[in-house]
Amino acid sequence: MKLRQRLAVDFFLVIALACGVMLVSVRFLAEDMFRTFVFSGDAEKARAYSGLLGSYFDSHGSWSGLQSILSGSPFGAGEADFPEALAGDRVVVADSKGIIVADTSEQLLGTIHPSKHVSHGIPIMSGGITVGAVLVDSMVDSTLSGVEERFLGTLGVALALAAAASSALALLLGLAFSAQVTRPIASLTKAAKQVSQGELETAVTVGGIGEMAELGGMFNRMTKELKRLEEGKRQLIADSAHELRTPVALIQGTIEAMLDGVYPLDMDTLKSVHEETLRLSRLIDMLRELEIIQSGKLRLRREKIDLADALAKASAMFGPAAREKGISLAAEPADPPCHVWADSVRLNEIIYNLVSNALKFTPAGGRVRLSARPNPGDPASALLLVEDSGPGIPEEERGLVFERFYRIEKSRSSREGGRGLGLAIAKEIAQAHGGSLEAGESPLGGACFFVVLPSA
């Protein structure tokens, strides 16, 4: 059963149940209130009789002869006070023992009325003593008259018609509402089926406000992200194949030349082949490391680390390479001291990637500066900066340099060595620490890479 049909059935069942309960409840309450109304009217009549019957008992000293008066016999002395307007009522009089001594219908004469029933009657007083009780119409028999039953029947029919009309209207509104709810769901279902078949460009149009519109927006964002990831996967495969092809082709060509006698089978040639295999192995390792980090399988062994010490070690390690190129490499002391909560091995990997990258693209006579300071935008984190005086990074490409195999054109693309994976790995490691890595412009005139890490 489809959702729209199920909603319609559920609406009908809920409405039918609600209307049924309402109809029964209102009918019961209406009958109860009507009986109360009728009983109150009969009680007023009984009070009028009570005074007259008390006078009768005062004058006669007993209830003898009362039946003759109530059954229409000629009145005696004092009996003419009974109003003729009450002559059509059913009147029953019980003595103090509950025995019926008078009944206008002569049905209960001589019987003993239940005390619980007699207690509903109006007491008859004589000399301050209760000498009996009088009951009128509904006080004697709770059965309603024909007119009264017809009134209640008409009321019940009216209630049933009102309930049916309300149910029909509510059902129509429910169907319209269910159609409004299920229409975007059907659209999303169709779009999800298309996405499952590989049509990642599928988008849905969900108007209005609320959760459905939000769901539609989230679905469109999801398909865009899936499309981006799919394109990234294809690009990665293509780029990986391209990057792997070069060393493999070089190794293959060298070995074939050695077999054909073109290249001599000596140690120098074998060393050249071995170097290419090492480069190929490093590329495969970097790809594997990037996959581990992005899959969330990277395990960090965090400890308290002084950023100034980490930068000083990096400066000492890369000092010889910087002097060889004629580049000034310096690590500035941190004031105040900056400590971060990080994995020392992975933190060094970030720093070494950035420093190596800066030295690679900084010309002779340039500067590379390493520094650390508290993050002014977030007191709970620290800022690590690697700046250079090289050609810098165009603003429109600062977000792209962290993508796999991405190389900036112009001077940086012509340099040898880099595979376009170092910055991607460094950024993923920073994010795994709960931080970030971004590129900007340095006061030295070149690029500035700043790493945000949680403070210890």
Side-chain angles (χ1 to χ4, degrees):
M1 183 181 293
K2 292 187 177 181
L3 180 60
R4 183 177 180 181
Q5 297 172 339
R6 183 172 180 177
L7 282 176
V9 172
D10 289 344
F11 272 124
F12 176 77
L13 293 177
V14 171
I15 292 168
L17 179 61
C19 288
V21 172
M22 180 197 70
L23 183 62
V24 173
S25 300
V26 173
R27 178 68 172 80
F28 176 79
L29 290 174
E31 182 175 349
D32 185 67
M33 293 176 67
F34 185 72
R35 289 181 181 277
T36 301
F37 171 75
V38 172
F39 184 86
S40 64
D42 291 338
E44 289 298 322
K45 296 178 182 180
R47 289 189 184 91
Y49 275 110
S50 176
L52 296 174
L53 291 169
S55 299
Y56 179 89
F57 192 88
D58 289 340
S59 61
H60 290 76
S62 67
W63 294 117
S64 60
L66 179 62
Q67 177 60 34
S68 299
I69 298 174
L70 295 183
S71 61
S73 299
F75 289 0
E79 291 115 20
D81 293 331
F82 284 95
E84 294 183 2
L86 300 179
D89 296 328
R90 169 83 183 277
V91 180
V92 172
V93 179
D95 62 12
S96 58
K97 296 179 180 180
I99 301 174
I100 304 302
V101 295
D103 182 2
T104 55
S105 67
E106 300 182 358
Q107 296 178 4
L108 302 176
L109 284 174
T111 63
I112 299 176
H113 224 42
S115 58
K116 183 178 179 181
H117 200 173
V118 174
S119 64
H120 293 158
I122 303 299
I124 303 172
M125 308 297 295
S126 176
I129 300 174
T130 301
V131 295
V134 58
L135 298 91
V136 178
D137 288 338
S138 62
M139 302 170 72
V140 181
D141 186 358
S142 60
T143 304
L144 298 175
S145 66
V147 175
E148 293 165 344
E149 289 289 355
R150 283 194 297 273
F151 170 78
L152 286 177
T154 303
L155 179 61
V157 172
L159 289 173
L161 291 175
S166 301
S167 300
L169 178 61
L171 183 59
L172 291 175
L173 294 175
L175 290 173
F177 172 74
S178 65
Q180 183 180 4
V181 170
T182 56
R183 190 179 298 113
I185 294 178
S187 177
L188 282 170
T189 302
K190 180 180 178 181
K193 184 177 181 180
Q194 292 175 336
V195 171
S196 68
Q197 295 172 348
E199 301 178 22
L200 300 180
E201 69 281 356
T202 303
V204 295
T205 302
V206 181
I209 58 176
E211 288 80 358
M212 292 306 303
E214 184 179 357
L215 179 60
M218 290 295 294
F219 180 88
N220 290 336
R221 287 193 288 274
M222 179 195 71
T223 55
K224 288 182 180 179
E225 182 64 15
L226 287 174
K227 185 178 180 181
R228 187 188 70 81
L229 292 174
E230 181 65 20
E231 291 175 350
K233 183 178 71 174
R234 292 175 181 174
Q235 187 64 37
L236 173 62
I237 293 173
D239 291 340
S240 299
H242 174 74
E243 293 293 333
L244 293 171
R245 186 183 299 114
T246 301
V248 169
L250 183 58
I251 294 170
Q252 180 181 353
T254 303
I255 294 176
E256 289 176 352
M258 292 169 63
L259 293 174
D260 293 338
V262 177
Y263 287 168
L265 186 60
D266 55 18
M267 293 301 297
D268 291 337
T269 308
L270 290 176
K271 285 182 179 178
S272 175
V273 173
H274 183 252
E275 288 177 0
E276 290 301 321
T277 60
L278 292 177
R279 290 178 59 192
L280 181 61
S281 178
R282 283 197 299 269
L283 176 58
I284 294 173
D285 289 342
M286 293 178 73
L287 287 170
R288 175 58 180 166
E289 183 179 14
L290 189 58
E291 188 275 331
I292 291 174
I293 296 172
Q294 291 184 332
S295 65
K297 298 177 182 178
L298 179 65
R299 294 186 177 182
L300 300 175
R301 297 180 179 179
R302 298 175 185 261
E303 58 182 309
K304 185 178 180 180
I305 300 175
D306 188 335
L307 283 182
D309 289 345
L311 294 178
K313 292 177 182 177
S315 177
M317 177 177 292
F318 286 93
R323 286 191 294 272
E324 185 179 347
K325 287 190 64 175
I327 297 173
S328 171
L329 173 62
E332 298 184 349
D335 186 22
C338 291
H339 295 86
V340 294
W341 189 247
D343 184 311
S344 61
V345 175
R346 295 299 179 178
L347 176 60
N348 288 333
E349 191 172 352
I350 296 176
I351 297 174
Y352 295 166
N353 259 311
L354 297 180
V355 175
S356 174
N357 199 59
L359 291 175
K360 188 182 302 178
F361 301 114
T362 300
R367 296 176 57 195
V368 175
R369 180 171 63 192
L370 315 180
S371 61
R373 60 173 179 264
N375 185 7
D378 181 9
S381 62
L383 202 58
L384 184 155
L385 296 95
V386 177
E387 304 171 84
D388 64 60
S389 60
I393 303 173
E395 185 175 356
E396 65 274 10
E397 297 187 71
R398 289 173 186 170
L400 302 175
V401 295
F402 300 104
E403 295 185 1
R404 299 165 176 166
F405 302 113
Y406 186 84
R407 296 192 186 92
I408 300 177
E409 297 296 331
K410 305 173 185 177
S411 62
R412 295 200 176 200
S413 63
S414 62
R415 304 281 181 170
E416 295 180 356
R419 295 293 183 184
L421 290 174
L423 291 179
I425 293 174
K427 185 178 181 69
E428 292 292 341
I429 293 175
Q431 291 177 341
H433 280 81
S436 62
L437 170 59
E438 296 182 15
E441 186 176 356
S442 169
L444 299 181
C448 174
F449 290 89
F450 46 95
V451 185
V452 177
L453 294 170
S455 297

